[in-house]
Amino acid sequence: MDAFISRKRPRLSNPNEEPKHESSDPSEDTTDTKLAILLSLFPAIKQDELLDILVSCEGSVENVANLLSTKDFTAGTPVSKKRAAVTSSFGVQTSLSSHILTTAEDGSIKPMHEGARKRNLPPPKKGKTLHLYSPEDIATHTPCTIIHNFLPAQEADKLLLELLDESKHFSRYDFQLFNRTVQSPHTTAVYVSTPEEHRQQTSEYTYGGTYRSNVRQATPQLRLVSRQVQKIVNVEINKRIRDVYPDGKKLQYQSPKEWRPNAAFVNCYDGPSESVGYHSDKLTYLGPHPVIGSLSLGVAREFRVRRIVPRDDDETAEEEQNAGQTGPVSNSARNQTTSAARADAQGQISIHLPHNSLLIMHAEMQEEWKHSIAPAQTISPHPISGNRRINITYRWYRDTLHPRYTPRCKCGEHTILRCAQRKHETRGRYMWMCYAAYTPGKEGCSFFQWAEFDDDGDPIWGKKVILDEAPILTSFSASQ
């Protein structure tokens, strides 16, 4: 499949560009050629809609033809499970609202997705995974925005090559889980802008109760791309506030300031088995309702998300501490299977993340959803990275939440900021908690303190001192 399909219109070939190679393999045909074939077979379907279906079918003209040949497909009849079983390591898109044509009230024929946002769509079925590919479906079903082919093709390849070279310096981090020391199932490194921030990241900021030793200076291409990420993320934030949030206003605690990434976690997933389990990103330095920009390069993988459903009989370990428990993993046997059971019980959504795609996790994501990179049975190697996927998560660390101001627990360790998610009566409140018990070789204490923020998500304690004296992290863009 042409790796750099345009979502808006097919990119025309540059007559002055020397072709990389020639191949008789039909799968190597250009996007223009594939669309020409499909338009000749299905003249009643618009080119943009055929392009969306081509992307969802992993670039296979044969699979698109099989799918569209299903009886009454364009009349709104669901595709049968048998015919929809397109061969793909990521599964078939089970929400085809952007491709199925329906009759509107005025008698006109419109794509189903145009009316989707006007109604509440049903959640994924119990025990099922809803596979999404199109930006319209992803925006409708999740608090995420995806932009395919985010960078010019050569720029994306250049960044991928730069970070593949960097990945030899990545490492796995250790953490304590269920009374065992385990390693992260992928390698990672933290990138910052200046030598002073490197010092702070290795001696002041903590992750999982430990200081990170694997902190690196932002590379030239990473800095260059960061400008584009910053610009587009801010555009999409404003769109979501305008089009999705009540009364066109930002969420409570969401910052009204421009999003300016000043740190990036770069992860490498080497092979189909490397993954990361369901989690919400730590809010300790990001603050409430953060926005994260995630750029995927190399091998395509599944990004799975599921809602956090409040249940009083299934509280998080953190909230059990508030009830008097002294250990954050006191119910380890039960907690060990909880995440998988929740995903199966309520269903989950899988977002296909191809090379050169930017996924924006909006302000409600970390408080109301969990996400993961699922292990894959097989993957399609990328021509540059082979079996590896590189992922950059751009983050904005708030100056008002610098670790020199955040609370310390009774055992002298840095606390972390979490959001209460399970109990109905405390859902949405923030709390400072001891996290030492998740650090190998350490024991935690029972420290717990509700966190208080103003409407813009800044802590109310000592605010004037913090604003006057907080070290300011340099954004990637400003440091160029």
Side-chain angles (χ1 to χ4, degrees):
M1 176 181 177
D2 184 2
F4 307 109
I5 290 177
S6 168
R7 298 295 301 182
K8 295 182 179 179
R9 62 181 182 275
R11 185 181 294 109
L12 298 177
S13 301
N14 184 348
N16 298 320
E17 182 179 0
E18 183 178 350
K20 294 182 179 179
H21 63 277
E22 294 183 359
S23 172
S24 59
D25 185 349
S27 66
E28 298 286 341
D29 287 342
T30 66
T31 304
D32 296 337
T33 301
K34 294 177 181 180
L35 281 173
I37 296 171
L38 291 172
L39 283 168
S40 67
L41 294 173
F42 305 99
I45 302 179
K46 294 179 180 179
Q47 179 173 294
D48 284 353
E49 292 163 6
L50 285 173
L51 179 59
D52 277 344
I53 304 173
L54 184 62
V55 171
S56 72
C57 290
E58 295 292 304
S60 169
V61 172
E62 180 182 358
N63 288 335
V64 173
N66 288 338
L67 188 64
L68 294 181
S69 297
T70 304
K71 183 178 179 181
D72 295 331
F73 174 81
T74 55
T77 301
V79 182
S80 69
K81 293 182 179 179
K82 182 178 180 180
R83 295 300 295 271
V86 179
T87 303
S88 168
S89 60
F90 296 97
V92 174
Q93 175 170 326
T94 50
S95 174
L96 291 168
S97 62
S98 60
H99 314 316
I100 302 175
L101 306 182
T102 58
T103 303
E105 293 181 0
D106 60 2
S108 61
I109 304 298
K110 295 182 178 180
M112 183 180 292
H113 75 81
E114 289 190 6
R117 296 187 185 185
K118 298 180 181 179
R119 58 188 174 84
N120 292 324
L121 296 176
K125 295 181 179 179
K126 179 179 179 180
K128 301 295 183 181
T129 300
L130 177 67
H131 291 268
L132 302 182
Y133 295 85
S134 77
E136 295 85 2
D137 291 335
I138 290 166
T140 298
H141 288 264
T142 74
C144 297
T145 297
I146 194 167
I147 300 170
H148 293 122
N149 307 302
F150 174 68
L151 299 170
Q154 290 183 344
E155 193 171 336
D157 290 351
K158 188 175 180 180
L159 177 60
L160 174 58
L161 286 168
E162 183 183 68
L163 293 177
L164 285 171
D165 184 61
E166 282 282 302
S167 69
K168 64 191 177 196
H169 303 294
F170 293 4
S171 61
R172 302 179 191 273
Y173 57 88
D174 295 335
F175 58 97
Q176 195 78 7
L177 185 65
F178 310 127
N179 300 318
R180 294 190 305 125
T181 298
V182 296
Q183 280 193 328
S184 60
H186 63 276
T187 58
T188 185
V190 180
Y191 284 78
V192 291
S193 295
T194 68
E196 166 57 22
E197 288 162 27
H198 183 281
R199 184 198 65 77
Q200 291 184 44
Q201 288 286 338
T202 54
S203 62
E204 296 187 49
Y205 287 87
T206 61
Y207 299 92
T210 60
Y211 295 107
R212 278 281 175 92
S213 59
N214 198 356
V215 179
R216 301 183 62 77
Q217 293 279 144
T219 57
Q221 196 67 17
L222 185 61
R223 292 181 190 275
L224 182 64
V225 169
S226 299
R227 284 184 175 179
Q228 300 171 63
V229 173
Q230 178 174 325
K231 178 181 177 180
I232 295 302
V233 169
N234 279 292
V235 168
E236 295 300 330
I237 289 172
N238 290 329
K239 282 184 183 178
R240 189 161 186 86
I241 292 174
R242 181 193 67 202
D243 299 338
V244 178
Y245 295 161
D247 302 321
K249 297 179 180 179
K250 74 175 185 68
L251 301 181
Q252 185 181 25
Y253 306 133
Q254 183 179 0
S255 176
K257 298 178 182 178
E258 181 186 17
W259 183 83
R260 297 173 63 85
N262 48 25
F265 285 32
V266 182
N267 304 304
C268 179
Y269 298 86
D270 190 356
S273 63
E274 295 211 345
S275 61
V276 62
Y278 270 111
H279 67 285
S280 296
D281 291 335
K282 299 292 185 296
L283 304 175
T284 309
Y285 308 124
L286 306 176
H289 285 147
V291 175
I292 295 175
S294 177
L295 180 59
S296 294
L297 301 167
V299 165
R301 293 290 296 269
E302 281 188 79
F303 179 78
R304 294 194 176 187
V305 300
R306 63 172 176 80
R307 282 186 178 276
I308 298 170
V309 179
R311 290 179 55 187
D312 286 342
D313 61 341
D314 194 16
E315 303 160 9
T316 62
E318 290 83 4
E319 289 167 270
E320 287 174 350
Q321 281 193 41
N322 190 35
Q325 299 289 339
T326 58
V329 287
S330 58
N331 247 329
S332 61
R334 185 190 68 182
N335 291 339
Q336 195 165 10
T337 58
T338 297
S339 183
R342 287 174 187 151
D344 184 69
Q346 65 195 63
Q348 57 191 335
I349 293 173
S350 174
I351 299 174
H352 176 61
L353 297 182
H355 170 69
N356 195 17
S357 60
L358 178 68
L359 183 83
I360 301 166
M361 293 186 276
H362 286 288
E364 62 269 45
M365 181 73 174
Q366 307 307 324
E367 279 86 345
E368 300 176 13
W369 295 69
K370 289 186 181 292
H371 57 276
S372 71
I373 295 293
Q377 291 184 347
T378 60
I379 55 176
S380 299
H382 187 269
I384 294 176
S385 67
N387 288 333
R388 288 177 289 176
R389 171 184 182 253
I390 296 290
N391 168 238
I392 312 163
T393 57
Y394 289 95
R395 300 156 188 256
W396 174 32
Y397 281 20
R398 296 201 192 195
D399 302 326
T400 53
L401 288 169
H402 191 278
R404 69 180 59 176
Y405 304 117
T406 55
R408 298 291 185 103
C409 63
K410 296 175 183 177
C411 51
E413 300 290 339
H414 291 268
T415 57
I416 64 165
L417 179 66
R418 300 293 294 269
C419 180
Q421 297 170 323
R422 289 289 169 189
K423 296 186 69 173
H424 285 277
E425 63 268 26
T426 57
R427 182 170 167 83
R429 291 194 66 181
Y430 298 90
M431 48 195 171
W432 294 104
M433 308 186 60
C434 176
Y435 205 68
Y438 290 92
T439 306
K442 294 184 179 180
E443 293 184 4
C445 64
S446 58
F447 180 87
F448 176 93
Q449 175 182 311
W450 288 115
E452 300 294 338
F453 297 94
D454 64 18
D455 193 60
D456 293 338
D458 286 317
I460 61 174
W461 32 260
K463 184 175 180 181
K464 185 178 185 304
V465 175
I466 290 174
L467 293 179
D468 289 343
E469 300 179 4
I472 298 176
L473 294 180
T474 306
S475 76
F476 287 115
S477 297
S479 65
Q480 297 181 57

